[in-house]
């Protein structure tokens, strides 16, 4: 369990750094995040931007606290508190049946779902584990490796929606040789008017 804390530290640093950077990279990104907050939570339009700034700033503060050894425990505590708030917000949106896009890590067209709630719950568990985990007074080279491995896991968390969209099965449509799509219901019909059967011969009455 000695390596539990650096693993949690690396994961959370990458996750919160990516989240804060995606919101603070420009005014447009910050306003888009504020708009998503206003559509998900009971926040008035003029108050959405200050709330968005506060969330992004809190995420940046968590990163700073986690990367400095003397304030690492404070970083885990702050991460736990912030994740509880964010997870509660996701739960409220899902309970109301909302389908707003998740902008946790920037612009995204993926609506909030139970997957995001589970993700936040797991991140909260990681923050708690880092907070109560044994303090490593004498870090070893393996601690650095575990820290980097945790960072890699955090990177995978940030691209989870992209990975799901990449590997999720998509419905396919049938295409006939003549280029006309078919929905697979009933026999295929030839586009345009029916063509006469070349083998059909007209019969004339016998004299």
């Amino acid at each position: 369990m000695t390596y539990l804390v650096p693993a949690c530290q690396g994961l959370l640093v990458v996750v919160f750094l990516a989240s804060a950077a995606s919101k603070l990279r420009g005014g447009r990104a910050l306003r888009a995040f504020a708009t998503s907050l206003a559509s998900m939570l009971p926040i008035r339009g003029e108050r959405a931007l200050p709330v968005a700034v506060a969330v992004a700033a809190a995420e940046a503060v968590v990163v700073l606290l986690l990367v400095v050894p003397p304030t690492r425990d404070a970083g885990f505590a702050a991460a736990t508190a912030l994740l509880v708030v964010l997870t509660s917000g996701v739960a409220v949106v899902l309970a109301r049946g909302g389908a707003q896009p998740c902008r946790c890590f920037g612009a995204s067209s993926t609506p909030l779902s139970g997957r995001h709630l589970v993700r936040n719950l797991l991140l909260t568990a990681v923050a708690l584990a880092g907070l109560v985990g044994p303090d490593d007074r004498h870090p070893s080279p393996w601690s650095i490796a575990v820290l980097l491995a945790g960072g890699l896991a955090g990177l995978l968390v940030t691209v989870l929606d992209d990975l799901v969209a990449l590997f999720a099965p998509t419905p396919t449509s049938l295409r006939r040789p003549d280029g006309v799509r078919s929905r697979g219901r009933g026999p295929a019909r030839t586009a345009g008017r029916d063509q006469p059967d070349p083998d059909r011969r007209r019969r004339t009455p016998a004299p």
Side-chain angles (χ1 to χ4, degrees), residues 11 25 27 33 45 64 66-67 129 146 161-162 167 194:
L11 189 151
R25 67 170 182 255
F33 178 59
L64 294 177
L66 285 174
V67 297
V146 172
D161 286 341
D162 295 332
F167 294 104
D194 293 336

Side-chain angles (χ1 to χ4, degrees), residues 22-35 49 103 107:
S22 67
K23 300 175 181 65
L24 298 175
R25 67 170 182 255
R28 180 179 299 179
L30 191 59
R31 287 191 295 270
F33 178 59
T35 302
L49 185 58
R103 295 187 179 272

Side-chain angles (χ1 to χ4, degrees), residues 7-8 17 38 70 72 74-75 86 112 115 125 143 149 164 172-173 181 184 186-187:
C8 297
L17 180 61
R72 186 177 59 184
L86 296 177
L112 285 173
R115 180 176 73 248
S143 299
V164 172
T172 57
S173 59
R181 291 187 177 183

Side-chain angles (χ1 to χ4, degrees), residues 7-89:
C8 297
Q9 181 183 11
L11 189 151
L12 292 176
V13 164
V14 171
V15 168
F16 278 98
L17 180 61
S19 184
S22 67
K23 300 175 181 65
L24 298 175
R25 67 170 182 255
R28 180 179 299 179
L30 191 59
R31 287 191 295 270
F33 178 59
T35 302
S36 66
L37 287 180
S39 62
M40 291 187 297
L41 302 175
I43 303 175
R44 294 181 180 179
E46 63 273 11
R47 296 181 179 179
L49 185 58
V51 172
V53 172
V55 171
E59 292 174 339
V61 169
V62 168
V63 174
L64 294 177
L65 293 175
L66 285 174
V67 297
V68 179
T71 61
R72 186 177 59 184
D73 289 342
F76 281 125
T80 302
L82 184 57
L83 283 168
V84 168
V85 173
L86 296 177
T87 303
S88 300

